[in-house]
Amino acid sequence: MLTIKEDKGTGVVTSVPSDAPDDIAALRDIKKKEALREKYGIEDKMVLPFEPVPIIEIPGYGNLSAPLVCDELKIQSQNDKEKLAEAKEKVYLKGFYEGIMLVEGYKGQKVQDVKKPIQRMMVEKGEAMIYMEPEKQVMSRSADECVVALCDQWYLDYGDAEWKAKANEALKSLETFCDETRRNFEATLAWLQEHACSRTYGLGTRLPWDEQWLIESLSDSTIYMAYYTVAHLLQGGVLNGQGPSPLGIKPEQMTRDVWDFIFFKTAPFPKTSIPKEHLQKLRREFEYWYPVDVRVSGKDLVPNHLSYYLYNHVAVWPNDSGKWPQAVRANGHLLLNSEKMSKSTGNFLTLTQAIDKFSADGMRLALADAGDTVEDANFVETMADAGILRLYTWVEWVKEMIANQNNLRSGPTDTFNDRVFASEMNTGILKTEQHYERMMYKEALKSGFFEFQAAKDKYRELAIEGMHRDLVFQFIERQTLLLAPICPHLCEYTWGLLRKNTSLMKASWPLAGPVDEVLIRSSQYLMETAHDLRLRLKAYMLPPKNKKGDTKPPAKPSHCTIYVAKNYPTWQHSALSLLGKHYKSNNGVLPDNKVIASELGALPELKKYMKRVMPFVAMIKENLEKNGPRVLDLELEFDERAVIMENLVYLTNSLELEQIDVLFASEADDKIREDCCPGKPFCVFRSEPAVSVSLINPQPASGLFSQKVDIRQGDSRDSIVRRLAKVNRLIKDLSRVKLMRYEDPLLGPRRVPVLGQEEQGKLPISEKSVFSINVEEKKITLADNGLTVDIGDTLVYLVQ
């Protein structure tokens, strides 16, 4: 066997090819390779007649787990080391916890239950002896290989049934913040037996009943937090304990009876020279601070130190669960730029260097964003740089809003997007508070900064009428408070910009108002619809190629008709009704697709739609997992058409269209009615005929230049001005634009404008004017006050 180490033990091991992948691989190698047998002087009769003997039945793997897994992974020989490691990982753990013995005397018993009795039986018969070894090679600092010395030793019997049961009871009420941490605790408590709790040298406390031994660190530091509750009264502010006691208590006065009085409510008053009021003060202090609210430590300490921490608390307070630990927060290790930190490779960053490079708040932001729970957090320097830019952008935006607050909209906050923004802020506050309470800082940063900022950006984009001043400053104040635990310095500065009288540290957590979930989902629907419309417009502008391989792209559309459906098409309605019926009757579980397909196939109205029905069912099932049972509703929970109508200007501008019409699908043809369903509008693009005119600005030094603008049938003055503002971003206030035509449309544009007399030879176009076009002749006329005039090919605009 190639994996045997001749410098470990005797170099001889028992072979268990039925359940050990390495062993079956070695047996197969020696059986099929004659040269290998000759090399080691092994005769055929020693190996060829033998097959693995079943000794353990493992659920899912049978009674020959090793051969089965080796065949599944296609392991060819002992040289397939990676596959063999994977095979061992699969069968060893499952075999130990779920395996059932097949051997006489232990038949029907679990492997984990018989391991100790078999070990004891073999030792008693003289067939085995107990020895210990490190899991892997351990080198000392003097470069010597370490061995385990089996000496007389003191052990803590963590395998004691009563003690283990108490520890498991404590674990049930323990908040672990993460399922993986809980599973690690459960696994540790399941296998933990005796633990050597002492050593002969080093730092530590003497074992009270055998002072030649020191209590080793993992066992000694499991309950010191009980001492922390009164340390300030015993040793003041001196860390080494040598300072004067504020209560005048000497170390030798702190006898076991005194500690019992402090730690146990039922303990009698001890015989001591310590004044009673001092002892009662110590007890009150302990009772005030205990239990430990949360212990934060590395994930590598769950299998030992943190498990001992639970054991020792239930040992000291077996009948007072109110003193047991409340929570353990295990964290992973910290990677730097996706690699393990190491001084030897140069991949490390000291705290001082980090703060000099990224600032304190920049570091705090990047560390919070690096990762939560027991996963290894990854501090990436490029992400830290990006985070600092985000913070800078945020502060600059706050300054801009403060400087321009008089230009923000005032009045009632009752538009669709005002109400959505208010609800999204309240949602952000609630979610962020929950994440902070669970110390999930990455999630808190996500909901309390990134998503909070995204809600503001969406509001700014959608609020065509302008952002509301009250909501903007409410957002700034709330954002500052939500980010303060992570970036306190920057948030204190922002708080000062808002001219608050007191420090941010004295401010209360923001109170969340009502959250309208339906309103938020309707806003999400709007964003999804806008995204879908943009994709459809892109597809419209890139039609499929013809047989010759070339194609002429259509003209950019100017108009769009959006069709919305009040109800699902008949075939979708039937499918949803059936799914909803199963969902309710089976407590939220849908049957297999075969069952659904057979039931839907039996419905006569679905006969001709069966090719489309099952893909639709698959999509509904997928959405059901993401969005919950509301996807089975036969009608939307909000007015789809009303949402689109309230945001028509935004949709029109974002698609760069002239006009969008919104109709019900019932007014369309059969194809549109079939493809349109609630929540999935259907759109049709079209290009309306137009004639171009030049719009010139004669005002000197205005920065406003000539623009080509299309005129369409029935256009008004206001529609022309809006079109002009789309192509000329310098025009912000449309009410200040004056549109004019030449008195002489032929000679007017050719005359040199006179400085200060920009309106000379021109006539204003009124609000009631209506444009008409003749596409064939490229001619534009204007109907104004009962007169119809030719305007030529040039108009004038002035910005007052």
Side-chain angles (χ1 to χ4, degrees):
M1 189 173 179
L2 302 182
T3 55
I4 296 293
K5 294 182 174 63
E6 294 180 14
D7 61 347
K8 185 175 182 181
T10 60
V12 178
V13 300
T14 55
S15 179
V16 192
S18 59
D19 294 275
D22 282 334
D23 293 0
I24 186 65
L27 180 61
R28 286 175 172 178
D29 275 357
I30 205 78
K31 273 185 151 190
K32 66 185 178 185
K33 297 176 182 177
E34 187 178 347
L36 189 62
R37 295 198 295 275
E38 289 178 1
K39 178 179 178 181
Y40 291 107
I42 294 172
E43 298 176 24
D44 292 356
K45 65 180 181 181
M46 296 179 183
V47 288
L48 294 184
F50 299 103
E51 294 297 330
V53 178
I55 56 172
I56 299 171
E57 179 79 32
I58 303 176
Y61 290 99
N63 58 17
L64 292 172
S65 60
L68 180 70
V69 172
C70 286
D71 291 340
E72 281 181 358
L73 297 177
K74 298 180 179 174
I75 293 172
Q76 300 298 318
S77 74
Q78 296 178 78
N79 294 318
D80 293 339
K81 293 179 182 177
E82 290 184 7
K83 287 184 179 180
L84 283 169
E86 184 184 347
K88 279 191 283 189
E89 194 174 320
K90 282 188 172 188
V91 298
Y92 275 16
L93 203 61
K94 195 172 179 70
F96 181 73
Y97 287 110
E98 299 181 33
I100 304 296
M101 295 296 293
L102 302 175
V103 181
E104 288 301 326
Y106 301 96
K107 199 169 185 179
Q109 297 184 56
K110 281 196 168 185
V111 170
Q112 61 177 331
D113 296 334
V114 301
K115 182 176 179 179
K116 284 288 180 183
I118 290 176
Q119 181 191 79
R120 198 161 45 246
M121 178 269 290
M122 293 178 72
V123 170
E124 288 170 357
K125 285 186 176 181
E127 295 175 352
M129 59 176 285
I130 292 176
Y131 86 107
M132 297 187 181
E133 63 183 20
E135 287 185 2
K136 55 186 178 181
Q137 188 181 43
V138 179
M139 301 299 292
S140 72
R141 292 180 182 178
S142 58
D144 294 310
E145 185 178 345
C146 296
V147 296
V148 176
L150 187 60
C151 311
D152 285 342
Q153 175 63 280
W154 289 103
Y155 290 87
L156 285 168
D157 185 9
Y158 290 124
D160 179 81
E162 187 180 345
W163 196 9
K164 191 182 284 280
K166 280 284 184 186
N168 274 299
E169 187 183 339
L171 179 60
K172 284 179 183 175
S173 60
L174 188 76
E175 170 63 76
T176 59
F177 302 98
C178 163
D179 289 339
E180 188 175 345
T181 300
R182 181 170 296 280
R183 286 195 297 271
N184 288 344
F185 266 118
E186 288 170 349
T188 301
L189 266 56
W191 65 257
L192 197 56
Q193 299 295 327
E194 299 88 358
H195 170 69
C197 61
S198 58
R199 59 186 178 187
T200 55
Y201 65 93
L203 296 173
T205 308
R206 293 283 167 189
L207 205 59
W209 59 86
D210 191 350
E211 293 204 353
Q212 64 172 315
W213 295 93
L214 291 163
I215 302 173
E216 59 88 30
S217 56
L218 286 176
S219 300
D220 192 30
S221 54
T222 56
I223 207 160
Y224 56 83
M225 53 289 300
Y227 175 69
Y228 285 172
T229 63
V230 294
H232 58 294
L233 298 176
L234 297 176
Q235 64 186 67
V238 182
L239 288 177
N240 64 9
Q242 302 300 312
S245 166
L247 297 181
I249 298 174
K250 297 177 181 178
E252 55 270 20
Q253 290 178 289
M254 296 303 294
T255 62
R256 180 169 185 150
D257 289 342
V258 169
W259 282 116
D260 284 351
F261 179 79
I262 295 169
F263 290 156
F264 306 129
K265 293 177 185 176
T266 58
F269 192 84
K271 292 180 181 178
T272 178
S273 58
I274 301 173
K276 184 174 183 178
E277 63 270 17
H278 288 175
L279 278 184
Q280 287 175 333
K281 186 171 185 178
L282 290 168
R283 175 186 267 189
R284 281 198 306 272
E285 201 73 7
F286 170 73
E287 289 290 340
Y288 175 83
W289 288 110
Y290 239 59
V292 179
D293 292 311
V294 63
R295 174 80 184 275
V296 182
S297 194
K299 64 180 180 181
D300 53 314
L301 295 181
V302 171
N304 42 63
H305 182 62
L306 294 174
S307 293
Y308 307 158
Y309 165 67
L310 288 186
Y311 267 101
N312 287 1
H313 272 82
V314 301
V316 176
W317 291 280
N319 302 314
D320 188 359
S321 59
K323 296 295 187 296
W324 297 352
Q326 301 294 294
V328 168
R329 174 73 153 78
N331 54 264
H333 304 129
L334 184 62
L335 305 176
L336 178 60
N337 297 322
S338 304
E339 294 179 9
K340 184 180 177 182
M341 281 194 279
S342 168
K343 285 191 176 182
S344 61
T345 62
N347 188 52
F348 72 96
L349 193 65
T350 68
L351 197 56
T352 303
Q353 290 171 334
I355 292 171
D356 288 344
K357 189 172 185 179
F358 300 110
S359 79
D361 279 0
M363 274 298 292
R364 292 170 69 99
L365 183 82
L367 288 170
D369 195 34
D372 279 328
T373 71
V374 293
E375 297 296 325
D376 288 342
N378 185 20
F379 179 87
V380 182
E381 294 189 71
T382 54
M383 296 299 289
D385 287 333
I388 292 171
L389 286 175
R390 277 180 177 273
L391 294 177
Y392 175 80
T393 303
W394 155 242
V395 172
E396 290 302 305
W397 184 81
V398 171
K399 291 177 181 176
E400 183 185 335
M401 290 299 103
I402 293 171
N404 298 319
Q405 57 185 299
N406 294 330
N407 297 328
L408 296 172
R409 179 167 57 87
S410 56
T413 55
D414 57 0
T415 70
F416 174 82
N417 291 301
D418 287 346
R419 291 181 287 117
V420 169
F421 186 42
S423 262
E424 288 183 334
M425 281 196 287
N426 292 330
T427 300
I429 292 169
L430 293 172
K431 286 168 66 177
T432 305
E433 184 173 8
Q434 291 167 1
H435 295 320
Y436 274 136
E437 284 177 351
R438 291 179 58 79
M439 293 187 289
M440 305 291 281
Y441 298 111
K442 184 180 179 70
E443 292 299 315
L445 193 62
K446 179 185 173 187
S447 62
F449 184 59
F450 298 128
E451 289 178 357
F452 215 66
Q453 290 284 325
K456 176 261 294 178
D457 293 339
K458 186 177 77 168
Y459 177 56
R460 182 173 58 183
E461 181 184 353
L462 294 178
I464 302 297
E465 63 284 343
M467 295 189 292
H468 197 284
R469 183 172 57 209
D470 293 348
L471 287 176
V472 166
F473 281 90
Q474 193 179 90
F475 170 81
I476 293 172
E477 185 173 321
R478 288 174 166 185
Q479 175 66 97
T480 304
L481 291 168
L482 295 186
L483 190 59
I486 294 173
C487 300
H489 310 87
L490 177 117
C491 290
E492 187 72 63
Y493 174 73
T494 308
W495 201 246
L497 293 177
L498 295 175
R499 299 190 181 280
K500 298 289 183 179
N501 296 326
T502 58
S503 166
L504 171 68
M505 297 303 134
K506 294 182 180 179
S508 299
W509 182 259
L511 291 174
V515 175
D516 191 334
E517 295 286 354
V518 174
L519 186 66
I520 291 174
R521 285 196 287 271
S522 67
S523 177
Q524 181 63 28
Y525 158 81
L526 173 67
M527 300 310 292
E528 289 172 359
T529 299
H531 178 67
D532 184 54
L533 288 172
R534 284 191 284 270
L535 293 179
R536 288 174 181 264
L537 178 59
K538 185 178 180 181
Y540 176 85
M541 296 298 294
L542 294 170
K545 292 182 179 181
N546 57 25
K547 291 182 179 179
K548 295 181 179 179
D550 60 342
T551 183
K552 184 179 179 181
K556 191 175 186 304
S558 60
H559 289 62
C560 174
T561 301
I562 298 177
Y563 294 95
V564 295
K566 291 182 178 179
N567 303 301
Y568 282 92
T570 307
W571 65 274
Q572 292 183 353
H573 187 280
S574 300
L576 276 175
S577 298
L578 182 71
L579 292 174
K581 178 182 169 185
H582 278 299
Y583 190 83
K584 288 177 183 176
S585 60
N586 297 330
N587 295 321
V589 178
L590 292 178
D592 291 339
N593 284 351
K594 287 182 180 179
V595 177
I596 295 173
S598 64
E599 291 188 28
L600 292 174
L603 299 175
E605 67 269 23
L606 299 184
K607 291 288 185 186
K608 64 177 183 178
Y609 298 107
M610 283 310 293
K611 286 186 179 179
R612 301 171 67 184
V613 166
M614 290 315 293
F616 175 72
V617 168
M619 180 197 73
I620 292 297
K621 277 189 167 184
E622 185 180 337
N623 289 341
L624 188 64
E625 290 184 12
K626 292 179 185 175
N627 305 315
R630 69 172 183 272
V631 302
L632 298 173
D633 293 343
L634 297 175
E635 293 183 2
L636 282 187
E637 54 198 344
F638 54 84
D639 188 335
E640 192 174 352
R641 186 175 186 274
V643 171
I644 293 176
M645 291 300 294
E646 280 201 71
N647 294 276
L648 207 55
V649 175
Y650 162 72
L651 290 173
T652 306
N653 291 347
S654 83
L655 295 170
E656 298 181 348
L657 298 174
E658 292 297 327
Q659 184 178 322
I660 293 179
D661 303 309
V662 185
L663 302 175
F664 286 114
S666 56
E667 303 172 45
D669 58 32
D670 290 344
K671 184 182 184 308
I672 290 175
R673 282 202 297 271
E674 286 295 327
D675 289 339
C676 190
C677 64
K680 295 290 181 183
F682 190 89
C683 66
V684 177
F685 295 103
R686 67 183 188 277
S687 295
E688 293 284 343
V691 177
S692 291
V693 297
S694 293
L695 276 171
I696 63 172
N697 179 268
Q699 293 170 287
S702 67
L704 300 166
F705 302 102
S706 298
Q707 301 284 354
K708 281 279 188 183
V709 173
D710 287 340
I711 308 289
R712 291 186 171 82
Q713 188 70 27
D715 272 344
S716 64
R717 184 202 70 176
D718 289 346
S719 61
I720 302 300
V721 172
R722 281 198 304 272
R723 209 167 292 153
L724 171 67
K726 282 183 183 179
V727 294
N728 192 330
R729 300 294 182 186
L730 293 175
I731 299 174
K732 304 293 184 186
D733 188 352
L734 304 189
S735 65
R736 295 171 58 194
V737 178
K738 186 174 184 179
L739 195 64
M740 309 187 76
R741 64 179 177 85
Y742 286 101
E743 291 182 27
D744 185 339
L746 189 62
L747 295 177
R750 300 181 182 183
R751 293 196 179 103
V752 177
V754 179
L755 191 64
Q757 299 178 18
E758 287 81 9
E759 297 187 21
Q760 185 177 339
K762 306 171 188 74
L763 298 171
I765 296 174
S766 72
E767 294 178 5
K768 298 179 181 178
S769 302
V770 178
F771 289 85
S772 297
I773 62 170
N774 186 320
V775 179
E776 293 177 0
E777 298 180 10
K778 296 193 180 300
K779 185 178 179 181
I780 304 172
T781 57
L782 178 71
D784 195 356
N785 293 325
L787 295 175
T788 300
V789 294
D790 185 355
I791 66 165
D793 61 2
T794 308
L795 293 175
V796 174
Y797 72 99
L798 305 173
V799 179
Q800 298 170 326

